[in-house]
Amino acid sequence: RELADKLAKVSKQQMDSYEAPHRDRSGMLDSEAMWKPAYDFMLTWSAQMGDSYRDVVHELHVGLDKMKNPITRRWKHLTGTLILVNSLDILRATAFTPADQGDLAI
């Protein structure tokens, strides 16, 4: 909820609409299912950013930096994932460059 507020100024009513399909019959959102409305929000939010994953990752970093208690403090693998995604251009450029014809061993 806090990240959604920082990224898109999502109101309580809007966040409730993301959570509603994932609530059980008693109206509770199971702690193990909390990722589902977060994923729904992130999917919708990132679609507004266009095709540039770098813009999405940048805005996500900015939003996390604005949070009082960002989830990345507790979930180190999330921080690592964000760094990896941010580095994909470099990895792609170095790992998948076309080989010179002289380098072929055939």
Side-chain angles (χ1 to χ4, degrees):
R1 282 180 174 251
E2 184 183 356
L3 181 60
D5 179 53
K6 299 298 182 195
L7 292 175
K9 302 294 184 206
V10 175
S11 70
K12 182 182 180 334
Q13 182 181 8
Q14 289 171 307
M15 188 46 87
D16 287 343
S17 71
Y18 282 110
E19 293 175 352
H22 308 291
R23 293 187 181 278
D24 61 17
R25 289 189 175 134
S26 63
M28 298 300 294
L29 184 63
D30 184 12
S31 63
E32 292 180 7
M34 292 184 92
W35 66 271
K36 292 176 183 179
Y39 177 79
D40 290 347
F41 165 75
M42 292 298 290
L43 192 63
T44 304
W45 170 79
S46 66
Q48 298 171 2
M49 302 293 292
D51 292 335
S52 174
Y53 70 87
R54 278 189 278 152
D55 291 343
V56 171
V57 172
H58 174 73
E59 289 301 314
L60 185 55
H61 274 281
V62 170
L64 287 167
D65 286 344
K66 290 179 182 177
M67 291 176 66
K68 292 178 186 172
N69 255 334
I71 196 78
T72 51
R73 286 188 186 162
R74 290 175 289 169
W75 291 359
K76 302 298 183 204
H77 57 279
L78 179 58
T79 302
T81 301
L82 291 172
I83 292 168
L84 174 64
V85 169
N86 208 18
S87 304
L88 282 178
D89 279 339
I90 297 167
L91 292 172
R92 187 178 304 130
T94 57
F96 300 109
T97 55
D100 286 337
Q101 294 297 328
D103 292 343
L104 296 177
I106 298 177

